[in-house]
Amino acid sequence: MNPILETVIAVLMVSGGAFTLAGAIGLARLQDFYSRLHAPTKATTVGVGSITLSSMIYFMATTGALALNEGLIMVFLFLTAPISANMLAKAAMHLRVQQAENTKGQAWDQ
Protein backbone atom coordinates (compact mmCIF):
# COMPACT_ATOMS: atom_id res chain seq x y z
CA MET A 1 0.00 0.00 0.00
CA ASN A 2 1.03 3.59 -0.57
CA PRO A 3 2.99 5.09 2.38
CA ILE A 4 0.99 8.31 2.14
CA LEU A 5 -2.27 6.38 2.53
CA GLU A 6 -0.81 4.48 5.47
CA THR A 7 0.12 7.79 7.11
CA VAL A 8 -3.35 9.25 6.52
CA ILE A 9 -4.99 6.12 7.93
CA ALA A 10 -2.71 6.14 10.97
CA VAL A 11 -3.34 9.84 11.65
CA LEU A 12 -7.11 9.35 11.36
CA MET A 13 -7.00 6.33 13.69
CA VAL A 14 -4.90 8.09 16.34
CA SER A 15 -6.88 11.33 16.21
CA GLY A 16 -10.16 9.38 16.30
CA GLY A 17 -8.95 7.46 19.33
CA ALA A 18 -7.87 10.68 21.03
CA PHE A 19 -11.26 12.34 20.43
CA THR A 20 -13.11 9.25 21.64
CA LEU A 21 -10.94 9.11 24.76
CA ALA A 22 -11.58 12.81 25.42
CA GLY A 23 -15.32 12.22 25.12
CA ALA A 24 -15.17 9.27 27.51
CA ILE A 25 -13.14 11.24 30.06
CA GLY A 26 -15.55 14.15 29.75
CA LEU A 27 -18.49 11.84 30.34
CA ALA A 28 -16.89 10.50 33.50
CA ARG A 29 -15.46 13.74 34.92
CA LEU A 30 -17.84 16.60 34.11
CA GLN A 31 -20.20 17.87 36.77
CA ASP A 32 -23.77 18.00 35.53
CA PHE A 33 -26.00 16.26 33.01
CA TYR A 34 -25.72 18.97 30.35
CA SER A 35 -21.92 19.00 30.42
CA ARG A 36 -21.81 15.21 30.41
CA LEU A 37 -24.13 15.18 27.43
CA HIS A 38 -21.99 17.65 25.47
CA ALA A 39 -18.64 15.86 25.81
CA PRO A 40 -19.48 12.48 24.28
CA THR A 41 -21.83 13.93 21.69
CA LYS A 42 -19.23 16.22 20.15
CA ALA A 43 -15.96 14.41 20.75
CA THR A 44 -17.14 10.89 20.18
CA THR A 45 -18.94 11.79 16.96
CA VAL A 46 -15.73 13.23 15.54
CA GLY A 47 -13.69 10.35 16.97
CA VAL A 48 -15.85 7.55 15.63
CA GLY A 49 -16.21 9.44 12.35
CA SER A 50 -12.42 9.59 11.98
CA ILE A 51 -12.01 5.91 12.77
CA THR A 52 -14.77 4.98 10.32
CA LEU A 53 -13.23 7.18 7.63
CA SER A 54 -9.86 5.52 8.14
CA SER A 55 -11.53 2.12 7.81
CA MET A 56 -13.21 3.26 4.62
CA ILE A 57 -9.92 4.47 3.14
CA TYR A 58 -8.12 1.27 4.15
CA PHE A 59 -10.67 -1.08 2.59
CA MET A 60 -10.95 1.04 -0.55
CA ALA A 61 -7.15 0.95 -0.91
CA THR A 62 -6.77 -2.79 -0.28
CA THR A 63 -9.79 -4.18 -2.12
CA GLY A 64 -10.34 -1.46 -4.71
CA ALA A 65 -14.09 -1.52 -4.06
CA LEU A 66 -16.13 1.37 -2.73
CA ALA A 67 -16.77 0.86 0.99
CA LEU A 68 -20.42 1.81 1.30
CA ASN A 69 -20.96 0.20 4.72
CA GLU A 70 -18.61 2.61 6.47
CA GLY A 71 -20.08 5.55 4.59
CA LEU A 72 -23.58 4.61 5.71
CA ILE A 73 -22.36 4.25 9.30
CA MET A 74 -20.87 7.75 9.16
CA VAL A 75 -24.06 9.27 7.72
CA PHE A 76 -26.18 7.52 10.35
CA LEU A 77 -23.83 8.65 13.13
CA PHE A 78 -23.70 12.28 12.01
CA LEU A 79 -27.47 12.43 11.65
CA THR A 80 -28.52 10.68 14.85
CA ALA A 81 -26.00 11.89 17.45
CA PRO A 82 -26.94 15.61 17.40
CA ILE A 83 -30.66 14.87 17.19
CA SER A 84 -30.60 12.45 20.12
CA ALA A 85 -28.48 14.85 22.19
CA ASN A 86 -30.94 17.65 21.50
CA MET A 87 -33.87 15.46 22.52
CA LEU A 88 -32.12 14.40 25.73
CA ALA A 89 -31.30 18.02 26.61
CA LYS A 90 -34.89 19.12 25.98
CA ALA A 91 -36.21 16.27 28.13
CA ALA A 92 -33.79 17.24 30.91
CA MET A 93 -34.92 20.87 30.68
CA HIS A 94 -38.55 19.76 30.83
CA LEU A 95 -37.81 17.65 33.92
CA ARG A 96 -35.83 20.56 35.40
CA VAL A 97 -32.61 18.59 35.88
CA GLN A 98 -30.31 20.68 38.06
CA GLN A 99 -27.21 22.34 36.65
CA ALA A 100 -23.91 22.69 38.44
CA GLU A 101 -23.56 26.01 40.24
CA ASN A 102 -20.71 27.28 38.07
CA THR A 103 -22.51 26.52 34.79
CA LYS A 104 -23.09 29.67 32.75
CA GLY A 105 -26.60 30.31 31.47
CA GLN A 106 -29.85 28.96 32.76
CA ALA A 107 -31.83 26.10 31.28
CA TRP A 108 -35.06 27.64 32.60
CA ASP A 109 -36.23 30.66 34.55
CA GLN A 110 -35.96 30.11 38.28
Side-chain angles (χ1 to χ4, degrees), residues 26-36 98-103:
L27 178 63
R29 302 264 313 171
L30 291 174
Q31 298 172 358
D32 62 351
F33 173 78
Y34 300 102
S35 300
R36 279 190 230 125
Q98 293 297 318
Q99 296 176 338
E101 286 188 21
N102 59 353
T103 302

Side-chain angles (χ1 to χ4, degrees), residues 31-107:
Q31 298 172 358
D32 62 351
F33 173 78
Y34 300 102
S35 300
R36 279 190 230 125
L37 180 65
H38 179 76
T41 303
K42 304 301 179 204
T44 308
T45 302
V46 174
V48 174
S50 296
I51 293 170
T52 308
L53 182 62
S54 69
S55 173
M56 188 155 84
I57 293 170
Y58 173 77
F59 284 113
M60 285 174 44
T62 56
T63 64
L66 185 61
L68 289 178
N69 293 342
E70 287 89 352
L72 290 174
I73 290 169
M74 284 177 46
V75 168
F76 181 74
L77 175 73
F78 289 140
L79 287 178
T80 58
I83 294 169
S84 62
N86 188 9
M87 292 176 74
L88 285 169
K90 285 188 180 245
M93 288 172 57
H94 179 71
L95 295 172
R96 297 186 181 268
V97 173
Q98 293 297 318
Q99 296 176 338
E101 286 188 21
N102 59 353
T103 302
K104 293 183 180 178
Q106 296 297 322

Side-chain angles (χ1 to χ4, degrees), residues 1-14 54-55 57-59 61-62:
M1 189 178 355
N2 186 352
I4 295 173
L5 277 178
E6 288 179 1
T7 304
V8 168
I9 291 168
V11 166
L12 284 171
M13 290 290 284
V14 170
S54 69
S55 173
I57 293 170
Y58 173 77
F59 284 113
T62 56

